[in-house]
Structure formats: C-alpha cells, structure tokens
Amino acid sequence: MQHLFLMEFFGRGQSGRSYAVTERVRVFKALQKNVRLVTFDYNPQYNDIWQAVAPYLEATHLNMMAYYQGDAIAGGVRVERLHDHQQVTLVDRVFNQSDRLVGEIYYGLDNKTVSRRVAILYNADGSERIRLLYQQNKVAQVHFWQAGQLQVMSFTALVRQFLQEITAQEPSVIYADVLEEEMTQAYLGVSNAVAKVAYIHADHHVGQHQILVGFRNLLRSRQFDWIVTGTHNQAVDVQTEWQCRTADIAPASITVPKSVTALAGRRAMSVVVVTRFDRIKRVEDMIAAVVQAHQQNRDINL
C-alpha cells in the first residue's frame, strides 16, 4: 500500500502547509510506510529545494511533470537563465545530464511583475511532451502529447489523469491538502484510490460562517472518506454541519534551529507567534488565549 500526500507545489520559503506535509511524510517514513510527497507544478529546481529545505524528502518526491518526462531528465537537470537586452523577457532553459535541452520556461512582465507565460517540456528525443500555457501565473491550458496524439486539456484534467495512472499501478491512499477549487475537483475525480483523506485547517471558517471556497467544495462533495482536522472541536463541527466522517490530530509542531534564537537568550514562559497579519489567522483569539493563561500564571508573556 502506498500513501500519497498531495500538494500543488513546494517552494523554497516553506509555508505552514508545506511544513505540515513534510512532517506527515517524515512520520510515515519513520513508521516504515511506503510514502510519497506528490506535487504537480513544473519546477526543474526541485532537487535544489530539497537539499536546502528537506533533504530526506528528495527520494520520496514524485512530481507530475517529471513523471511524464521520464528518462529525459534521469540523473537531474541544470537550469540556465537568459535575459533579453531590455531585461524584460526571461527564459529558463533546462538541460539534462547529456546536455540536451529538455525544458524551456518563458516569462514576461504582467503589471510590472514577472510571471510565467509558457513552459515547454521535451522528451529525450527532443520531441515536445507537454506545453503549459499560463494566465496570471496559473496554468490555463495544457497541450499533452501521448503516443503521437495531441490532447488539449485543462490542468485539472491532467492532474486527474496522472493520479488515476499512479493509483492504478499500486493500491493507494491519497491525502489531500486542498485550498484551490481546481485541485479539489481533480482529487474528487480519482476513482482508483483505496481511500481519500482530506486535511482542512483551522481557518476553514473566515469570521464565523463564511467558508473558504476550496474547503466548501471539499465538504459539500462528501467524496472523501475522512476529513482530518487540527482540533477535536473542529472535527465535531464539521461532522455536525456536513455529516462527514472526521478525525482530529495534534497540530504539527516545528523545531526552531538553534541558529535562529540561542537557547540561552530565550525567556522562560514566553509565547512567540510568527504569522502574517490576516483575519483568517485569528490573531485576536491567540491574544485572548494568552491573556487567560497570564491570569493563571503571571510569568506567561506574549
């Protein structure tokens, strides 16, 4: 049985979601489970990212684009960046270990921000494998060559096809960390999985009743076998409102490197919170919780 943790993409600057998924993969590896982290974007620099962020994940990572390129990128790739004379257009050229061109990414300015326009992936013989057409840095259309036939499809359809293929090869449980509506639809269309598990976050309610789109579709579909939440109260809430099977787990904690703050310089009983200032982070609830704790123990500070 393979356990597939699905995440749209993974960047150098880890988010809370990416920290959580790496922790889940680490736990499953420690339990000697057949586990993989599955991503879907085109990023030829993933090997460098794993070396910098989580070296232990490199061997368990499966990327959809790398899967379809196969032998063309065996052994790793290198990336060369080119600029035009006005520094407006950027091109990343991707070469394999045999120094053959296996990918190109074209960028342009979009409201003064550099964004992807087109990405082209090649087979080992130089023929085109996949062409990704972007709008505002999101894939709007996919041209996919298979057995000499061109298929034009949405990114959602390609993700669904890919997951159907890999779950057909071996019995699989898929674990989805979903925010985007398109990815929710892709995961819901996978029929081969032994079970489908979805994680939702404490921010699935914005304010009191407004539910984020990705979570709303996920809950409304009732096509996931389990919904996993971070707290027991949230699990009861989702089960009551949406009649979903739920389970709650302890939130993942992060070990802060000693280089960030020397242990000797830390104050006992101090609570430190690092977050962006956004209403979905419920900063007021965090403050209220620490105030209550401080009333019980005056040494506790925020």
Coordinates of all heavy atoms in Angstrom, one line a residue, residues 1-7 21 24-25 28 34-40 62 159-178 183-200 218 221 223-228:
M1 N 0.8 -1.2 0.0 CA 0.0 0.0 0.0 C 0.9 1.2 0.0 O 1.8 1.4 0.8 CB -0.9 0.0 1.3 CG -1.8 1.2 1.4 SD -3.2 1.1 0.3 CE -4.1 -0.3 1.1
Q2 N 0.6 2.1 -1.0 CA 1.4 3.4 -0.9 C 0.5 4.5 -0.4 O -0.7 4.6 -0.6 CB 2.0 3.7 -2.3 CG 0.9 4.0 -3.4 CD 1.6 4.4 -4.7 OE1 2.8 4.7 -4.8 NE2 0.9 4.3 -5.8
H3 N 1.2 5.4 0.3 CA 0.5 6.6 0.9 C 1.0 7.8 0.1 O 2.2 8.2 0.2 CB 0.8 6.7 2.4 CG 0.3 5.5 3.1 ND1 -1.0 5.4 3.7 CD2 0.9 4.3 3.4 CE1 -1.1 4.2 4.3 NE2 0.0 3.5 4.1
L4 N 0.1 8.6 -0.5 CA 0.4 9.7 -1.4 C -0.1 11.0 -0.7 O -1.3 11.2 -0.6 CB -0.2 9.5 -2.8 CG 0.2 8.2 -3.5 CD1 -0.6 8.1 -4.8 CD2 1.7 8.0 -3.7
F5 N 0.8 11.8 -0.3 CA 0.5 13.1 0.2 C 0.5 14.2 -0.9 O 1.6 14.4 -1.5 CB 1.4 13.5 1.3 CG 1.1 12.8 2.6 CD1 1.7 11.5 2.9 CD2 0.2 13.3 3.6 CE1 1.4 10.8 4.0 CE2 -0.1 12.6 4.7 CZ 0.5 11.4 4.9
L6 N -0.6 14.8 -1.3 CA -0.7 15.6 -2.4 C -0.6 17.1 -2.1 O -1.2 17.5 -1.1 CB -2.1 15.4 -3.1 CG -2.5 13.9 -3.3 CD1 -3.9 13.9 -4.1 CD2 -1.5 13.1 -4.1
M7 N 0.3 17.8 -2.8 CA 0.4 19.2 -2.6 C 0.7 19.9 -3.9 O 1.5 19.3 -4.7 CB 1.5 19.5 -1.6 CG 1.4 21.0 -1.1 SD 2.4 21.2 0.4 CE 2.0 22.8 0.9
V21 N 3.0 19.2 5.8 CA 3.0 18.0 4.9 C 4.4 17.3 5.0 O 4.5 16.1 5.0 CB 2.6 18.3 3.5 CG1 3.8 19.0 2.7 CG2 2.2 17.1 2.7
R24 N 4.2 15.2 8.1 CA 3.4 14.0 7.9 C 4.3 12.9 7.1 O 4.2 11.7 7.5 CB 2.2 14.3 7.1 CG 1.2 15.2 7.9 CD 0.1 15.7 7.0 NE -0.6 16.8 7.6 CZ -1.2 17.8 7.0 NH1 -1.1 17.9 5.7 NH2 -1.8 18.8 7.7
V25 N 5.0 13.3 6.1 CA 5.8 12.4 5.3 C 6.9 11.8 6.2 O 7.2 10.6 6.2 CB 6.4 13.1 4.1 CG1 7.4 12.2 3.4 CG2 5.3 13.5 3.1
F28 N 5.4 9.2 8.5 CA 5.1 7.9 7.8 C 6.4 7.2 7.4 O 6.4 5.9 7.4 CB 4.3 8.2 6.5 CG 2.8 8.3 6.8 CD1 2.3 9.1 7.7 CD2 2.0 7.4 6.1 CE1 0.9 9.1 8.0 CE2 0.6 7.4 6.3 CZ 0.1 8.3 7.2
N34 N 5.2 3.0 2.9 CA 5.6 3.4 1.6 C 4.9 4.7 1.3 O 3.7 4.8 0.9 CB 5.1 2.3 0.6 CG 5.4 2.6 -0.9 OD1 6.2 3.6 -1.2 ND2 4.8 1.9 -1.8
V35 N 5.6 5.8 1.5 CA 5.0 7.1 1.4 C 5.7 8.0 0.4 O 6.9 7.9 0.1 CB 5.1 7.8 2.8 CG1 6.6 7.9 3.2 CG2 4.5 9.2 2.8
R36 N 4.9 8.9 -0.3 CA 5.5 9.8 -1.3 C 4.8 11.1 -1.2 O 3.6 11.2 -0.9 CB 5.2 9.3 -2.7 CG 6.1 8.1 -3.1 CD 5.8 7.6 -4.5 NE 7.1 7.5 -5.2 CZ 7.2 7.1 -6.5 NH1 6.1 6.7 -7.1 NH2 8.3 7.1 -7.1
L37 N 5.6 12.2 -1.4 CA 5.0 13.5 -1.5 C 4.8 13.8 -3.0 O 5.8 13.7 -3.8 CB 6.0 14.5 -0.9 CG 5.6 16.0 -1.1 CD1 4.3 16.4 -0.5 CD2 6.7 16.9 -0.6
V38 N 3.6 14.1 -3.4 CA 3.3 14.3 -4.8 C 3.0 15.8 -5.1 O 2.2 16.4 -4.4 CB 2.1 13.4 -5.2 CG1 1.8 13.6 -6.7 CG2 2.3 12.0 -4.9
T39 N 3.7 16.3 -6.1 CA 3.5 17.7 -6.5 C 3.2 17.7 -8.0 O 3.4 16.8 -8.7 CB 4.7 18.6 -6.2 OG1 5.8 18.1 -6.9 CG2 5.0 18.7 -4.7
F40 N 2.6 18.9 -8.5 CA 2.1 18.9 -9.8 C 2.6 20.0 -10.7 O 2.4 20.0 -11.9 CB 0.5 19.0 -9.7 CG -0.1 18.0 -8.9 CD1 -0.4 18.2 -7.6 CD2 -0.4 16.7 -9.4 CE1 -1.0 17.3 -6.7 CE2 -0.9 15.7 -8.6 CZ -1.2 16.0 -7.3
L62 N 7.5 12.7 -5.8 CA 7.1 12.4 -7.2 C 6.4 13.6 -7.7 O 5.4 14.1 -7.2 CB 6.1 11.2 -7.1 CG 5.5 10.9 -8.5 CD1 6.5 10.4 -9.5 CD2 4.4 9.8 -8.3
V159 N -4.1 16.6 -14.0 CA -3.8 16.1 -12.7 C -4.6 14.9 -12.4 O -4.1 13.9 -11.8 CB -4.1 17.2 -11.6 CG1 -4.1 16.7 -10.2 CG2 -3.1 18.4 -11.7
R160 N -5.9 14.9 -12.8 CA -6.8 13.7 -12.5 C -6.2 12.5 -13.3 O -6.2 11.4 -12.8 CB -8.2 14.1 -13.0 CG -9.2 13.0 -12.7 CD -10.6 13.3 -13.3 NE -11.1 14.5 -12.9 CZ -11.3 15.6 -13.7 NH1 -11.1 15.5 -15.0 NH2 -11.8 16.7 -13.2
Q161 N -5.8 12.7 -14.6 CA -5.3 11.6 -15.4 C -4.1 11.0 -14.7 O -3.9 9.8 -14.6 CB -5.0 12.1 -16.8 CG -4.3 11.1 -17.7 CD -4.0 11.7 -19.0 OE1 -4.9 12.0 -19.8 NE2 -2.7 11.8 -19.4
F162 N -3.2 11.9 -14.3 CA -1.9 11.5 -13.6 C -2.2 10.6 -12.4 O -1.6 9.6 -12.2 CB -1.1 12.7 -13.3 CG 0.0 12.5 -12.3 CD1 1.1 11.7 -12.7 CD2 0.0 13.1 -11.1 CE1 2.2 11.5 -11.8 CE2 1.0 12.9 -10.2 CZ 2.1 12.1 -10.5
L163 N -3.1 11.1 -11.5 CA -3.4 10.4 -10.3 C -4.1 9.1 -10.6 O -3.9 8.1 -9.9 CB -4.3 11.3 -9.4 CG -3.6 12.5 -8.7 CD1 -4.6 13.4 -8.0 CD2 -2.4 12.0 -7.8
Q164 N -4.9 9.1 -11.6 CA -5.6 7.8 -12.0 C -4.5 6.8 -12.4 O -4.6 5.6 -12.0 CB -6.5 8.0 -13.1 CG -7.9 8.6 -12.7 CD -8.8 7.7 -12.0 OE1 -8.7 7.5 -10.8 NE2 -9.7 7.0 -12.7
E165 N -3.5 7.2 -13.1 CA -2.4 6.3 -13.5 C -1.6 5.8 -12.4 O -1.4 4.5 -12.3 CB -1.5 7.0 -14.5 CG -2.0 7.3 -15.9 CD -1.0 7.9 -16.8 OE1 0.2 7.7 -16.6 OE2 -1.4 8.7 -17.8
I166 N -1.2 6.6 -11.5 CA -0.3 6.1 -10.4 C -1.1 5.3 -9.3 O -0.5 4.4 -8.7 CB 0.5 7.3 -9.8 CG1 -0.4 8.3 -9.1 CG2 1.4 7.9 -10.8 CD1 0.4 9.3 -8.3
T167 N -2.4 5.6 -9.1 CA -3.1 4.9 -8.2 C -3.6 3.5 -8.8 O -3.9 2.6 -8.0 CB -4.4 5.6 -7.7 OG1 -5.1 6.1 -8.8 CG2 -3.9 6.8 -6.8
A168 N -3.6 3.4 -10.1 CA -3.9 2.1 -10.8 C -2.7 1.2 -10.7 O -2.9 0.0 -10.8 CB -4.3 2.4 -12.2
Q169 N -1.5 1.7 -10.6 CA -0.3 0.9 -10.6 C -0.1 0.2 -9.2 O 0.5 -0.9 -9.2 CB 0.9 1.8 -10.8 CG 1.0 2.4 -12.2 CD 2.0 3.5 -12.3 OE1 2.8 3.7 -11.4 NE2 2.0 4.2 -13.4
E170 N -0.6 0.7 -8.2 CA -0.4 0.1 -6.8 C -1.6 0.6 -5.9 O -1.9 1.8 -6.0 CB 0.9 0.5 -6.2 CG 1.3 -0.1 -4.9 CD 2.6 0.3 -4.4 OE1 3.4 0.8 -5.2 OE2 3.0 0.0 -3.3
P171 N -2.1 -0.2 -5.1 CA -3.2 0.3 -4.1 C -2.7 1.5 -3.4 O -1.6 1.5 -2.8 CB -3.4 -0.9 -3.2 CG -3.0 -2.1 -4.0 CD -1.8 -1.7 -4.9
S172 N -3.5 2.5 -3.3 CA -3.0 3.8 -2.8 C -4.1 4.5 -1.9 O -5.3 4.4 -2.2 CB -2.6 4.8 -3.9 OG -1.7 4.2 -4.8
V173 N -3.6 5.1 -0.9 CA -4.4 6.1 -0.1 C -3.9 7.5 -0.4 O -2.7 7.7 -0.4 CB -4.3 5.8 1.4 CG1 -5.2 6.9 2.2 CG2 -4.8 4.4 1.8
I174 N -4.8 8.4 -0.8 CA -4.3 9.7 -1.1 C -4.8 10.7 0.0 O -5.9 10.6 0.5 CB -4.8 10.2 -2.5 CG1 -6.3 10.3 -2.6 CG2 -4.3 9.3 -3.6 CD1 -6.8 11.0 -3.9
Y175 N -3.8 11.6 0.3 CA -4.1 12.6 1.4 C -4.0 13.9 0.8 O -2.9 14.3 0.2 CB -3.0 12.4 2.5 CG -3.0 11.0 3.1 CD1 -2.3 10.0 2.5 CD2 -3.6 10.8 4.3 CE1 -2.2 8.7 3.0 CE2 -3.5 9.5 4.9 CZ -2.8 8.5 4.2 OH -2.8 7.2 4.8
A176 N -5.0 14.7 0.8 CA -5.1 15.9 0.0 C -5.1 17.1 1.0 O -5.9 17.2 1.9 CB -6.3 16.0 -0.8
D177 N -4.2 18.1 0.7 CA -4.2 19.3 1.4 C -4.6 20.4 0.4 O -3.9 20.9 -0.4 CB -2.7 19.6 1.9 CG -2.7 20.6 3.0 OD1 -3.6 21.5 3.0 OD2 -1.8 20.5 3.9
V178 N -5.9 20.8 0.5 CA -6.5 21.5 -0.6 C -7.0 22.9 -0.2 O -7.6 23.1 0.8 CB -7.8 20.7 -1.1 CG1 -8.4 21.4 -2.4 CG2 -7.4 19.3 -1.5
M183 N -8.0 22.1 -7.9 CA -7.3 20.9 -7.3 C -8.3 20.0 -6.6 O -8.2 18.8 -6.7 CB -6.2 21.3 -6.4 CG -5.1 22.1 -7.1 SD -4.4 21.4 -8.6 CE -3.4 20.1 -7.9
T184 N -9.3 20.7 -5.9 CA -10.3 19.9 -5.3 C -11.0 19.0 -6.3 O -11.3 17.8 -6.1 CB -11.3 20.8 -4.6 OG1 -10.7 21.6 -3.6 CG2 -12.4 20.0 -3.9
Q185 N -11.4 19.6 -7.4 CA -12.1 18.9 -8.5 C -11.3 17.8 -9.0 O -11.8 16.7 -9.3 CB -12.5 19.9 -9.6 CG -13.5 20.9 -9.2 CD -14.8 20.3 -8.6 OE1 -15.3 19.3 -9.1 NE2 -15.3 20.9 -7.5
A186 N -10.0 18.0 -9.2 CA -9.1 17.0 -9.7 C -9.0 15.8 -8.8 O -9.1 14.6 -9.2 CB -7.7 17.5 -9.9
Y187 N -8.9 16.0 -7.5 CA -8.8 14.9 -6.5 C -10.1 14.2 -6.4 O -10.1 13.0 -6.2 CB -8.4 15.5 -5.1 CG -7.1 16.3 -5.1 CD1 -6.8 17.1 -4.0 CD2 -6.1 16.1 -6.1 CE1 -5.6 17.8 -4.0 CE2 -4.9 16.8 -6.0 CZ -4.7 17.7 -5.0 OH -3.5 18.3 -4.9
L188 N -11.2 14.9 -6.5 CA -12.5 14.2 -6.4 C -12.7 13.3 -7.5 O -13.5 12.3 -7.4 CB -13.6 15.3 -6.4 CG -13.8 16.2 -5.1 CD1 -14.9 17.2 -5.3 CD2 -14.0 15.3 -3.9
G189 N -12.1 13.5 -8.7 CA -12.3 12.7 -9.8 C -11.5 11.4 -9.8 O -11.6 10.6 -10.8
V190 N -10.6 11.2 -8.8 CA -9.8 10.0 -8.8 C -10.6 8.8 -8.2 O -11.1 8.9 -7.1 CB -8.6 10.2 -7.9 CG1 -7.7 9.0 -7.8 CG2 -7.7 11.4 -8.4
S191 N -10.8 7.8 -9.0 CA -11.7 6.7 -8.6 C -10.9 5.4 -8.2 O -11.5 4.5 -7.7 CB -12.6 6.3 -9.8 OG -11.9 6.0 -11.0
N192 N -9.6 5.4 -8.5 CA -8.8 4.2 -8.2 C -8.3 4.1 -6.7 O -7.9 3.0 -6.3 CB -7.5 4.2 -9.1 CG -7.9 3.9 -10.5 OD1 -8.9 3.3 -10.8 ND2 -7.1 4.5 -11.4
A193 N -8.4 5.2 -6.0 CA -7.8 5.2 -4.7 C -8.5 4.3 -3.7 O -9.8 4.2 -3.8 CB -7.8 6.6 -4.1
V194 N -7.8 3.6 -2.9 CA -8.4 2.8 -1.8 C -9.2 3.6 -0.9 O -10.3 3.3 -0.4 CB -7.3 2.0 -1.1 CG1 -7.9 1.2 0.1 CG2 -6.6 1.0 -2.0
A195 N -8.6 4.8 -0.5 CA -9.3 5.8 0.3 C -8.8 7.1 0.0 O -7.6 7.3 -0.4 CB -9.1 5.4 1.8
K196 N -9.6 8.2 0.3 CA -9.2 9.5 0.1 C -9.4 10.3 1.4 O -10.5 10.3 2.0 CB -10.0 10.2 -1.0 CG -9.7 9.6 -2.4 CD -10.3 10.5 -3.5 CE -11.8 10.1 -3.7 NZ -12.3 10.6 -5.0
V197 N -8.4 10.9 1.8 CA -8.3 11.7 3.1 C -8.0 13.1 2.8 O -7.1 13.4 2.0 CB -7.3 11.1 4.1 CG1 -7.3 11.8 5.4 CG2 -7.6 9.6 4.3
A198 N -8.8 14.0 3.4 CA -8.5 15.5 3.2 C -8.2 16.1 4.5 O -8.8 15.8 5.5 CB -9.7 16.1 2.5
Y199 N -7.2 17.0 4.5 CA -6.9 17.9 5.6 C -7.5 19.2 5.5 O -7.4 19.8 4.4 CB -5.4 18.0 5.8 CG -4.7 16.8 6.1 CD1 -4.3 15.8 5.2 CD2 -4.3 16.5 7.5 CE1 -3.6 14.7 5.5 CE2 -3.7 15.3 7.8 CZ -3.3 14.4 6.8 OH -2.7 13.3 7.2
I200 N -8.2 19.7 6.5 CA -8.6 21.1 6.5 C -8.0 21.8 7.7 O -7.6 21.2 8.7 CB -10.1 21.3 6.4 CG1 -10.8 20.7 7.7 CG2 -10.7 20.6 5.2 CD1 -12.3 21.1 7.8
L218 N -15.0 20.8 -1.0 CA -14.5 19.6 -0.4 C -15.5 19.0 0.5 O -15.8 17.8 0.4 CB -13.2 19.9 0.3 CG -12.4 18.7 0.9 CD1 -10.9 19.1 1.0 CD2 -12.9 18.4 2.4
S221 N -19.0 18.0 -1.3 CA -18.9 16.8 -2.2 C -19.1 15.5 -1.5 O -19.7 14.5 -2.0 CB -17.5 16.7 -2.9 OG -16.5 16.3 -2.0
Q223 N -17.1 13.3 -0.9 CA -16.5 12.2 -1.6 C -15.1 11.8 -1.0 O -14.4 10.9 -1.6 CB -16.3 12.6 -3.1 CG -17.6 12.7 -3.9 CD -17.4 13.0 -5.3 OE1 -16.5 12.4 -6.0 NE2 -18.2 13.8 -5.9
F224 N -14.8 12.4 0.1 CA -13.6 12.0 0.8 C -14.0 11.1 1.9 O -15.0 11.3 2.6 CB -12.8 13.2 1.4 CG -12.0 13.9 0.3 CD1 -12.6 15.0 -0.4 CD2 -10.7 13.6 0.1 CE1 -11.8 15.6 -1.4 CE2 -9.9 14.3 -0.8 CZ -10.5 15.3 -1.6
D225 N -13.2 10.0 2.1 CA -13.6 9.0 3.2 C -13.4 9.6 4.6 O -14.2 9.2 5.5 CB -12.7 7.8 3.0 CG -13.0 7.1 1.6 OD1 -14.0 6.4 1.5 OD2 -12.2 7.3 0.7
W226 N -12.4 10.4 4.7 CA -12.2 11.0 6.0 C -11.8 12.5 5.9 O -11.0 12.8 4.9 CB -11.0 10.3 6.8 CG -11.4 9.0 7.4 CD1 -11.3 7.8 6.8 CD2 -12.1 8.8 8.6 NE1 -11.8 6.8 7.6 CE2 -12.3 7.4 8.7 CE3 -12.5 9.6 9.6 CZ2 -12.9 6.8 9.8 CZ3 -13.1 9.0 10.7 CH2 -13.3 7.6 10.8
I227 N -12.2 13.3 6.8 CA -11.8 14.7 6.9 C -11.0 14.8 8.2 O -11.5 14.5 9.3 CB -13.0 15.7 6.9 CG1 -13.9 15.5 5.8 CG2 -12.4 17.1 7.0 CD1 -13.3 15.8 4.4
V228 N -9.7 15.2 8.1 CA -8.8 15.3 9.2 C -8.7 16.8 9.6 O -8.4 17.7 8.8 CB -7.4 14.8 8.9 CG1 -6.5 14.9 10.1 CG2 -7.6 13.3 8.5

